[in-house]
Amino acid sequence: DIFISIHCNAAPRKKVKLKTMRGSETYFLSLAKTDDARATAAMENSAIEFEQPQKNVANQDDVQFILWDMVQNEFLTESSDLAELVQESLSRKLPSEPNRGINQAGFYVLNGAYMPAILVETSFISHKEEEKLLKKPDNLKKIALGIAGGLAAFAQKYKKEMGQ
């Protein structure tokens, strides 16, 4: 089993660099290493409160996250590999879009996935040009093929490692 959560990224309107915030990035569950990764996770996690008000995402403390992280540790390497392969494939399918790389963050949606799990930010919906691209079927197909290509590469890699 594999879990892939697909999203469109967004930058707060007050950000000075809003015009430069473009491209795709892929996350796997771990403690965030950068301020941008923490901010992206916080924004995504806050959306859960609107979708599922009974969940108290904002009050998840670091100890609770560390416990979840220990459970997820079994799949950390596989999730990291999957994120790398998907991001590489997306970058090949969308060569004119910036490759924002692979990041780690505490996304709520990845908690509890007892399998390799990633979150893909396909592009910035808050960027005018990328918003237009998200409305084009050809571009959506490239995104889908990029994610599928990374998934296929992951399956091939683990088939070889398992001797199949």
Side-chain angles (χ1 to χ4, degrees):
D1 294 335
I2 291 174
F3 180 82
I4 300 175
S5 186
I6 303 169
H7 299 253
C8 293
N9 214 338
R13 294 271 178 223
K14 62 185 175 184
K15 279 234 179 191
V16 176
K17 296 180 180 177
L18 181 63
K19 288 184 169 94
T20 63
M21 300 198 74
R22 302 180 58 224
S24 65
E25 58 191 330
T26 304
Y27 288 86
F28 63 97
L29 182 67
S30 190
L31 293 173
K33 298 237 181 205
T34 67
D35 290 339
D36 278 348
R38 272 187 287 283
T40 301
M43 192 167 18
E44 291 287 348
N45 290 344
S46 68
I48 298 292
E49 294 175 15
F50 293 108
E51 295 168 4
Q52 300 173 19
Q54 71 278 14
K55 302 245 185 220
N56 195 357
V57 178
N59 290 333
Q60 282 194 339
D61 61 9
D62 288 340
V63 173
Q64 184 179 8
F65 181 79
I66 290 168
L67 291 173
W68 272 110
D69 194 49
M70 288 171 62
V71 171
Q72 298 296 323
N73 197 41
E74 179 182 349
F75 301 106
L76 190 61
T77 300
E78 290 93 344
S79 295
S80 174
D81 289 346
L82 178 59
E84 182 177 339
L85 293 167
V86 166
Q87 188 60 34
E88 285 174 2
S89 182
L90 271 172
S91 185
R92 282 191 304 273
K93 290 291 180 186
L94 302 166
S96 62
E97 296 297 315
N99 179 348
R100 296 177 57 87
I102 299 147
N103 294 294
Q104 304 171 195
F107 286 101
Y108 183 79
V109 71
L110 297 177
N111 277 329
Y114 300 105
M115 63 195 74
I118 61 171
L119 184 144
V120 180
E121 294 283 6
T122 60
S123 53
F124 279 80
I125 200 165
S126 57
H127 190 278
K128 296 271 187 225
E129 285 81 31
E130 288 198 352
E131 179 186 8
K132 289 176 189 172
L133 286 173
L134 286 167
K135 295 176 182 176
K136 294 184 176 184
D138 286 351
N139 192 66
L140 294 176
K141 185 175 181 177
K142 288 177 186 177
I143 291 170
L145 289 172
I147 294 169
L151 184 56
F154 179 81
Q156 278 300 113
K157 178 180 180 175
Y158 279 90
K159 278 184 182 178
K160 285 180 185 175
E161 286 184 11
M162 297 172 76
Q164 296 179 352

